[in-house]
Amino acid sequence: MALSVLVALILSPALTSTLLKPKSHGDDASGGGRFPRVHAFLERAKNGFNTRFDHAVERYVGSVTKVVDRKWLFLGIYALLLVALVLLFLRLPSGFLPNEDQGRVQVQFRLPAGATQARTLAVRDEIEKYMLTEEKANTQALFLIAGGGGAAAGQNTGQGFVNLTHWDDRPGQENTADAIAERARKALSGLRDAQIFALVPGAVRGLGDSSGFTMQFQNRSGMSRDEFVAARERLLAMANANPKLTSVRLSDLPDVATLKIDVDTQRLTAYGISNSDVNTTLATAWGGRYVNDFIDKGRVKRVYVQGDAPYRAKPEDLGQWYVRSGDGEMSPFSAFAKVGWSTTPSSSSRFQGVPAFEIAGQPAPGTSSGEAMDEMERMAGEIPGTSVAWSGSSYQERLSSGQAPLLYGLSLLVVFLCLAALYESWSIPLAVLLVIPLGLVGAVFAVNLRGLENDVYLQIGLLTTMGLAAKNAILMIEFAEQEEKKGKRVIEAAVEAARIRLRPILMTSFAFIFGVLPLAIATGAGANSRVAIGTSVIGGMLTAAFLAIFFIPLFFVLVRRGVRDGLAAARARFGKKKDDGTGAAEVPA
């Protein structure tokens, strides 16, 4: 906008004086130059268009006069448009950022606690087989690992990354990343003892690994661990049965069976063994330990030592291992330790200092992220002693939705104050602000028509539409005010402004509409965000152009007459002082 101001003030006058020079005596009267026929055709087309446009302007001026005469009817229509704006806005599903096809799909899979790595590898192979057969045309590269899984890593988990082919090679909605992920979820849901989630990466890196919501289920009442786990399982069962939600999962691993080794301290002392000796033996034999490096074919490689698999596969295998004491004697574990089983949480997480479980999920097709979050809050509210907090992109979505009314109100206030300073009047800005809802109703209607969400990009589009609708009103009201200062009646000034300024309003409106049209029909990478902005701006500009041109003169007349009548009433009431008994009264000039 700052650059456009500089261009309008500096470059446009210079270009006008250069390109629009008046013809001097002796110039070619035809003006055709080397292409007289083309010039003649263009002149006929221009004259024909101007003739038809002048007839349309006359009909428009007549319509404006009728609108002003029937002010109550059109004020009722304006009220209905305001009601429609509110209803359409409330009907919009809320969201934060639209899901973008980034050419990638992420796969997470999880088996029951205690599942062996062999079972995890079998599930991994099934996923690989599906992607390379059923989605072969859409898959460019595939990378799957067993034992990973982000925050929930273990031998019963795994994850994978699928690079899709180029957007041009995946035409149609059925080949988008969302559609591919949805098909993969349905096709792989039948695998025995495995939960498989095919996810689309989030639109913003650093705000979550995937799209959807991230919720923190908090223990606010101090319930025990077992009670909190039961509440978590109840919430997950309710969420997985909800048709508006899909792929609802716990980010951490569930509690797992743990081999517990109880060491008798007195026996350790009798054998001359320390706790660190026991821990070192266990860590080395059962978990592996780095001990050295060696050079192989010019490369430095690490050496790890670990017990052979057959001797660390069962709990009773622990009795075959010995610990060396300080004097070099070897003592078996069975001499000072007992083995038992217990259930232990895989991790202990807190959020804002409160015990919490992180639950992630996605809205079902046809459901927005805001609706999915509302459903999770509703179901969590049915579980006493718990609360809900949001993190990642979900937190930003809640934050942005709460700031939207403040942004709209602040924008209207800035526009009003700037116009009041420009016109040195408090009434003229009011006539401009009354036109803004006529643009917003078109923007919201167009977004509803295309099934989009009330997200950050719609907020940008609405703010842009507010400025453009105000611009249309300024073009006409400014001219009407100048005509009124010349001595014309308010209605005459409004009609003359409508006649003269119709062409500039339509010209600038359609120039902007066609300028953002590529955004509204965009495809490929990042298309969803461009579609949201383009659709809202085009819808807003259409109604701001075709509805506002009738209501701008009406609002100007009503505001100016209202101000004039108000001033006359004030003068009549406060202009004269009451008689003080002397027979004299002060009458203002």
Side-chain angles (χ1 to χ4, degrees):
M1 292 303 298
L3 180 61
S4 67
V5 171
L6 294 177
V7 171
L9 295 178
I10 301 174
L11 297 182
S12 294
L15 290 174
T16 302
S17 63
T18 302
L19 299 178
L20 302 182
K21 292 181 178 180
K23 295 181 180 180
S24 59
H25 181 70
D27 288 345
D28 185 6
S30 65
R34 291 182 296 176
F35 304 99
R37 294 184 178 180
V38 175
H39 179 76
F41 172 77
L42 295 177
E43 284 293 325
R44 288 195 301 270
K46 182 185 71 173
N47 294 333
F49 173 81
N50 287 335
T51 301
R52 289 189 291 270
F53 186 81
D54 291 339
H55 292 317
V57 169
E58 293 301 325
R59 291 194 297 269
Y60 161 69
V61 171
S63 300
V64 168
T65 305
K66 295 179 181 178
V67 168
V68 175
D69 292 338
R70 303 174 182 177
K71 58 181 180 180
W72 295 113
L73 172 63
F74 284 91
L75 286 177
I77 295 175
Y78 180 75
L80 293 178
L81 291 175
L82 292 180
V83 173
L85 171 61
V86 174
L87 294 179
L88 289 173
F89 193 82
L90 295 177
R91 184 177 178 272
L92 278 176
S94 61
F96 178 53
L97 294 173
N99 293 335
E100 296 289 359
D101 188 344
Q102 304 178 47
R104 293 184 292 118
V105 171
Q106 181 180 351
V107 181
Q108 296 179 2
F109 53 97
R110 180 182 302 175
L111 280 73
T116 61
Q117 190 177 28
R119 294 171 58 186
T120 308
L121 291 173
V123 173
R124 182 202 65 181
D125 295 339
E126 289 293 330
I127 298 174
E128 179 182 4
K129 179 181 178 182
Y130 170 81
M131 297 303 300
L132 296 181
T133 54
E134 300 298 329
E135 298 290 346
K136 181 179 179 180
N138 295 323
T139 302
Q140 183 182 33
L142 179 65
F143 177 71
L144 295 168
I145 57 174
Q155 68 175 359
N156 63 322
T157 65
Q159 63 180 340
F161 306 93
V162 182
N163 283 347
L164 305 177
T165 56
H166 195 270
W167 296 276
D168 296 338
D169 300 328
R170 294 186 283 116
Q173 291 294 324
E174 67 277 5
N175 292 319
T176 60
D178 285 324
I180 294 172
E182 182 65 22
R183 288 199 299 268
R185 279 196 296 267
K186 293 181 179 179
L188 298 173
S189 61
L191 289 181
R192 179 174 169 268
D193 292 339
Q195 291 180 312
I196 300 175
F197 309 102
L199 311 170
V200 177
V204 179
R205 293 185 180 181
L207 293 181
D209 295 332
S210 62
S211 58
F213 60 85
T214 304
M215 187 189 81
Q216 302 293 335
F217 186 55
Q218 295 180 308
N219 179 5
R220 288 285 183 178
S221 60
M223 63 179 69
S224 65
R225 171 79 183 187
D226 294 338
E227 293 174 339
F228 192 34
V229 170
R232 179 199 69 192
E233 296 301 322
R234 177 184 172 186
L235 178 62
L236 290 174
M238 295 168 61
N240 288 319
N242 195 311
K244 295 184 178 181
L245 305 173
T246 183
S247 299
V248 181
R249 60 201 182 275
L250 185 67
S251 297
D252 298 327
L253 290 176
D255 296 352
V256 295
T258 304
L259 185 63
K260 184 179 181 181
I261 302 176
D262 291 324
V263 178
D264 191 329
T265 306
Q266 294 181 352
R267 292 191 177 186
L268 282 182
T269 305
Y271 285 107
I273 303 173
S274 64
N275 284 324
S276 62
D277 296 332
V278 177
N279 295 335
T280 300
T281 302
L282 282 175
T284 303
W286 292 66
R289 181 183 179 188
Y290 164 74
V291 295
N292 204 348
D293 294 329
F294 74 101
I295 299 177
D296 180 27
K297 299 179 181 179
R299 297 180 60 186
V300 178
K301 297 183 178 180
R302 291 189 169 189
V303 178
Y304 289 87
V305 295
Q306 187 181 35
D308 199 11
Y311 301 98
R312 54 179 175 85
K314 296 176 292 184
E316 52 267 23
D317 291 338
L318 187 66
Q320 305 181 43
W321 290 90
Y322 290 74
V323 179
R324 187 183 301 275
S325 62
D327 56 3
E329 295 295 329
M330 304 293 292
S331 302
F333 269 88
S334 58
F336 56 80
K338 294 181 179 180
V339 178
W341 289 98
S342 64
T343 302
T344 307
S346 59
S347 63
S348 179
S349 60
R350 291 175 176 266
F351 187 78
Q352 297 177 344
V354 180
F357 290 115
E358 184 177 282
I359 298 177
Q362 290 185 309
T367 304
S368 68
S369 59
E371 293 174 331
M373 293 166 63
D374 292 338
E375 286 295 313
M376 292 298 298
E377 287 182 336
R378 180 188 61 80
M379 292 184 295
E382 299 177 3
I383 303 176
T386 62
S387 63
V388 169
W390 302 101
S391 60
S393 61
S394 300
Y395 171 74
Q396 297 296 330
E397 178 174 343
R398 282 289 192 251
L399 190 64
S400 65
S401 61
Q403 291 176 342
L406 177 63
L407 289 176
Y408 300 144
L410 183 61
S411 299
L412 291 174
L413 178 62
V414 170
V415 171
F416 180 81
L417 294 178
C418 290
L419 292 177
L422 178 64
Y423 291 111
E424 297 181 351
S425 169
W426 295 105
S427 60
I428 293 179
L430 181 60
V432 175
L433 294 183
L434 289 174
V435 180
I436 290 179
L438 298 176
L440 298 182
V441 68
V444 177
F445 176 76
V447 171
N448 272 280
L449 196 62
R450 299 195 66 177
L452 303 179
E453 299 178 357
N454 180 15
D455 53 21
V456 173
Y457 293 108
L458 175 62
Q459 295 175 17
I460 297 173
L462 292 181
L463 292 175
T464 305
T465 303
M466 291 168 62
L468 295 172
K471 181 266 304 177
N472 283 349
I474 291 171
L475 287 176
M476 190 175 294
I477 290 176
E478 179 185 15
F479 191 86
E481 187 200 18
Q482 295 175 358
E483 292 295 312
E484 187 184 10
K485 289 180 179 179
K486 295 178 181 179
K488 291 186 178 180
R489 298 171 54 237
V490 175
I491 181 63
E492 295 175 351
V495 171
E496 185 63 19
R499 181 194 309 274
I500 301 300
R501 306 305 282 176
L502 176 64
R503 185 189 290 262
I505 289 177
L506 295 180
M507 178 183 64
T508 54
S509 298
F510 280 105
F512 203 91
I513 289 173
F514 287 113
V516 299
L517 183 61
L519 296 178
I521 59 176
T523 58
N528 292 337
S529 58
R530 296 196 292 269
V531 167
I533 294 179
T535 301
S536 59
V537 172
I538 289 178
M541 286 306 300
L542 287 175
T543 54
F546 291 106
L547 292 178
I549 57 177
F550 296 98
F551 281 92
I552 293 173
L554 173 62
F555 292 147
F556 178 78
V557 171
L558 293 178
V559 169
R560 297 303 286 174
R561 285 180 176 175
V563 172
R564 183 188 61 191
D565 295 342
L567 292 176
R571 292 192 185 101
R573 182 174 182 180
F574 303 106
K576 295 183 178 181
K577 291 184 178 181
K578 292 183 178 180
D579 192 350
D580 56 3
T582 62
E586 181 180 347
V587 181

